[in-house]
């Protein structure tokens, strides 16, 4: 059984494997987990919802076989309703969907929430930097939604600069969360930006390039944690 990150309200570090060396993915995962990572963030991109293509269900499945770590899957695809069941089957522990994904956000999210929550997988909602907090409120009122992920870069690639303008939105969302819900941030998190996110009420911190781009991952994770 993977360690359940919802069991604690301590701040958690979630390295994004997008910045890992995919030819050595197992070693890369071992390295960050031994170095203090609390969960793994997996960015699924289809080249449509965002410009780039990353990886899909076969990689999620292989990672699932390889590790017991909690797999936090961030879905950046055009038709998540077609792929959510496959990602669940592949072994995702949590799946987060963008609230911008459809014209009828409420209906689409409700459908996805039904399908995913039925399997016991945790459901999350993601907001792009310019999307106001209010768009997520109806989803957050759903008892099955456990995570809200605020993008602090425009999604689509790693290595971009943190956008501090999303911090007031984090504060707004943090105030509204139930005790069984968590607030996560994704994009440009490093030792220089993580404290501002923490101060805005963020609990889970996705870090791609600041962890996998470092030669010594344990030191990189320790430097992030030292700021919390
Ligand atoms: C961006 C992805 C992020 C990305 C973060 O679309 O959602 O998870 O990997 O990378 P860094 O930490 O390098 O900004
Ligand atoms: Zn992500």
């Amino acid at each position: 059984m993977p360690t359940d990150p919802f069991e604690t309200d301590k701040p958690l570090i979630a390295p994004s494997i997008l910045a890992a060396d995919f030819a050595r993915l197992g070693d890369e995962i071992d390295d960050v987990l031994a170095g203090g990572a609390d969960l793994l963030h997996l960015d699924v991109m289809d080249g449509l919802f965002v410009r780039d293509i990353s990886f899909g269900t076969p990689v999620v499945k292989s990672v699932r076989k390889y590790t017991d770590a909690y797999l936090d899957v961030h879905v950046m695809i055009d038709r998540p309703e077609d792929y959510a069941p496959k990602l669940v089957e592949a072994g995702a522990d949590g799946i987060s969907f963008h609230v911008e994904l459809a014209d009828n956000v409420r209906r689409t999210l409700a459908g996805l929430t039904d399908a995913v929550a039925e399997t016991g997988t945790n459901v999350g909602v993601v907001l792009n930097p310019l999307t106001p907090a209010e768009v997520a409120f109806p989803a957050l009122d759903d008892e099955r939604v456990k995570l809200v992920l605020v993008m602090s870069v425009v999604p689509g690639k790693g290595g971009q600069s943190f956008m501090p303008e999303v911090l007031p939105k984090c504060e707004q969302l943090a105030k509204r969360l139930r005790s069984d819900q968590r607030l996560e941030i994704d994009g440009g998190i490093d030792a220089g930006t993580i404290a501002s996110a923490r101060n805005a009420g963020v609990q889970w911190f996705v870090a791609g390039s600041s962890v996998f781009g470092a030669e010594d991952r344990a030191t990189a994770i320790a430097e992030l944690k030292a700021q919390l």
Side-chain angles (χ1 to χ4, degrees):
M1 275 295 281
T3 318
D4 182 358
F6 289 91
E7 272 174 11
T8 176
D9 53 10
K10 289 201 188 110
L12 302 180
I13 304 294
S16 163
I17 66 163
L18 191 60
D21 177 351
F22 287 112
R24 305 174 42 250
L25 191 52
D27 292 345
E28 295 278 78
I29 287 171
D30 287 343
D31 201 19
V32 294
L33 291 174
D38 299 295
L39 60 149
L40 296 173
H41 184 81
L42 277 62
D43 291 299
V44 178
M45 302 177 181
D46 66 351
L48 296 167
F49 183 75
V50 293
R51 279 178 85 101
D52 278 1
I53 295 174
S54 58
F55 53 81
T57 45
V59 170
V60 176
K61 205 170 166 185
S62 298
V63 172
R64 173 73 301 150
K65 248 179 30 197
Y66 189 76
T67 178
D68 277 347
Y70 184 93
L71 304 183
D72 170 42
V73 176
H74 174 190
V75 173
M76 286 164 275
I77 54 183
D78 242 12
R79 298 194 325 274
E81 61 278 21
D82 291 351
Y83 294 96
K86 293 176 189 158
L87 289 165
V88 168
E89 207 182 313
D93 294 302
I95 300 193
S96 301
F97 305 103
H98 274 262
V99 295
E100 301 85 7
L101 55 86
D103 294 339
N104 191 330
V105 169
R106 203 177 289 219
R107 201 180 56 215
T108 304
L109 278 176
L112 285 169
T113 304
D114 287 345
V116 172
E118 235 170 58
T119 66
T121 308
N122 293 313
V123 180
V125 289
V126 193
L127 287 82
N128 277 338
L130 293 179
T131 303
E134 291 76 12
V135 179
F137 288 172
L140 285 180
D141 290 341
D142 187 319
E143 61 172 24
R144 297 162 305 178
V145 173
K146 303 291 187 202
L147 183 73
V148 57
L149 167 53
V150 171
M151 292 307 301
S152 40
V153 297
V154 175
K157 57 177 191 259
Q160 305 180 75
S161 299
F162 181 73
M163 296 170 68
E165 53 270 43
V166 304
L167 294 172
K169 178 165 67 185
C170 293
E171 284 174 21
Q172 216 183 331
L173 288 161
K175 279 193 205 122
R176 225 193 132 91
L177 292 189
R178 301 186 306 262
S179 61
D180 65 329
Q181 292 175 319
R182 297 291 180 270
L183 178 59
E184 182 177 42
I185 198 161
D186 183 4
I189 291 294
D190 60 25
T193 57
I194 195 167
S196 62
R198 178 68 179 150
N199 292 336
V202 174
Q203 295 149 308
W204 294 8
F205 303 87
V206 176
S209 35
S210 67
V211 169
F212 282 107
E215 200 144 312
D216 181 343
R217 279 70 183 269
T219 303
I221 293 169
E223 279 169 6
L224 292 174
K225 291 193 170 179
Q227 299 299 321
L228 295 170

